[in-house]
Amino acid sequence: MTAGQPRADAAPEVGGRGVRMPRRERREQLLESALGVFVAQGYHAAAMDDIAERAGVSKPVLYQHFPGKLDLYLALLEVAADDVIANCRDALSSTQDNRTRVEAAMGVFYSYVADAAGAFRLVFESDLTSEPAVRAQVDRVTSECADLIAAVIANDTDLPQAEARLLAVSLVGMAQVSARFWLVEHGDDESGIGLEVASALVSGLAWRGIRGYPMHD
C-alpha cells in the first residue's frame, strides 16, 4: 500500500462474494447492513452472523471493524443520534421566522420516524437502554436538540435559560412521542392522517403555546 492510498480490508470476502473496499467505505457498508438487522430483530435477537451475512462479508472482516456487537450497535446509534441533532440544527437555522422554525423542527422528527430505514427505532425504541453507553446516546438526542431550541427561546424572550430549556425539552418530547404515535396509528394507513398533515397539526399546537411568551427587544 503506497502512501496516501486508502486501506482496504485485509481479509477476502466469503466465497469471493464481494470485492475489497477502502476501510471507510467498508465501515459504512457494515453499518448499513447492521441497521437493517438491528431494526428488524432488536439488539438482543440480532447476531453478528446475521449482520456479516447481510453485508456479504466474513465474520473476521466484520470483527476487524467492530470488536463486538455492542461496539457495532453503539457506532450505529451514534450516527443515528448525530443525524437527528444535525437535522434539528439545520431546521432552526433555516429561517428567522419562529413559526416556521417550529414547523421545521417538528418536521425533523416526523420525517425521521417515517424514514423507511427505521433508524429511529435505535434512538427512540432501543431494547438496550439499560446499558449506560446506549442510554447516554439516546438521552443526547433529547438534550442537544433541547439545547438548540432553548437557545432560540432564551434569545427571543425574557425567560431565564433554565425556563427556556424546560420549554424546549417539552417541545422535543411532544415531537418524539407524537411522531411515534402517528407512525403506529397512521404511518401505514393510506386512509389515515398523512405525514405532512400530522406534522402541521402538532406544530400548530406547539406554536400556539410557545408564541404566548412575549418577544423582547
Side-chain angles (χ1 to χ4, degrees):
M1 182 172 68
T2 60
Q5 181 179 357
R7 177 181 173 183
D9 290 323
E13 304 309 317
V14 177
R17 286 183 291 173
V19 296
R20 295 192 179 205
M21 292 183 181
R23 187 170 183 83
R24 179 179 296 180
E25 291 182 19
R26 176 63 75 199
R27 179 183 172 86
E28 291 175 355
Q29 183 219 11
L30 294 174
L31 287 173
E32 182 179 353
S33 298
L35 175 61
V37 174
F38 283 130
V39 166
Q41 302 181 22
Y43 176 83
H44 294 291
M48 293 293 270
D49 288 306
D50 299 329
I51 296 167
E53 181 178 357
R54 187 182 182 104
V57 302
S58 63
K59 282 182 68 176
V61 168
L62 181 57
Y63 281 114
Q64 283 175 12
H65 294 266
F66 304 100
K69 185 168 73 167
L70 180 58
D71 301 280
L72 176 53
Y73 188 83
L74 286 171
L76 194 57
L77 183 57
E78 182 177 11
V79 171
D82 285 345
D83 285 345
V84 181
I85 295 165
N87 290 340
C88 187
R89 181 182 294 108
D90 290 344
L92 293 172
S93 63
S94 65
T95 178
Q96 294 299 309
D97 180 78
N98 283 333
R99 179 169 186 169
T100 306
R101 276 175 171 158
V102 171
E103 293 170 351
M106 197 64 64
V108 166
F109 291 93
Y110 275 81
S111 297
Y112 191 65
V113 302
D115 190 304
F120 82 94
R121 297 191 185 281
L122 302 183
V123 179
F124 301 141
E125 298 178 3
S126 174
D127 60 347
L128 195 62
T129 51
S130 59
E131 170 63 40
V134 172
R135 183 75 256 168
Q137 288 292 339
V138 172
D139 290 345
R140 185 168 69 90
V141 173
T142 298
S143 179
E144 294 194 23
C145 287
D147 286 344
L148 293 168
I149 296 170
V152 175
I153 294 173
N155 185 63
D156 287 349
T157 69
D158 286 320
L159 290 175
Q161 180 63 35
E163 294 181 16
R165 194 168 193 276
L166 179 58
L167 289 175
V169 170
S170 301
L171 289 172
V172 172
M174 179 189 294
Q176 291 182 9
V177 173
S178 66
R180 289 161 55 198
F181 176 84
W182 165 80
L183 183 67
V184 172
E185 294 290 317
H186 303 282
D188 296 326
D189 184 0
E190 293 184 0
S191 63
I193 302 173
L195 170 63
E196 294 183 0
V197 173
S199 181
L201 280 170
V202 180
S203 64
L205 173 63
W207 170 245
R208 287 179 177 86
I210 202 66
R211 74 177 179 180
Y213 294 91
M215 302 282 285
H216 71 75
D217 294 335

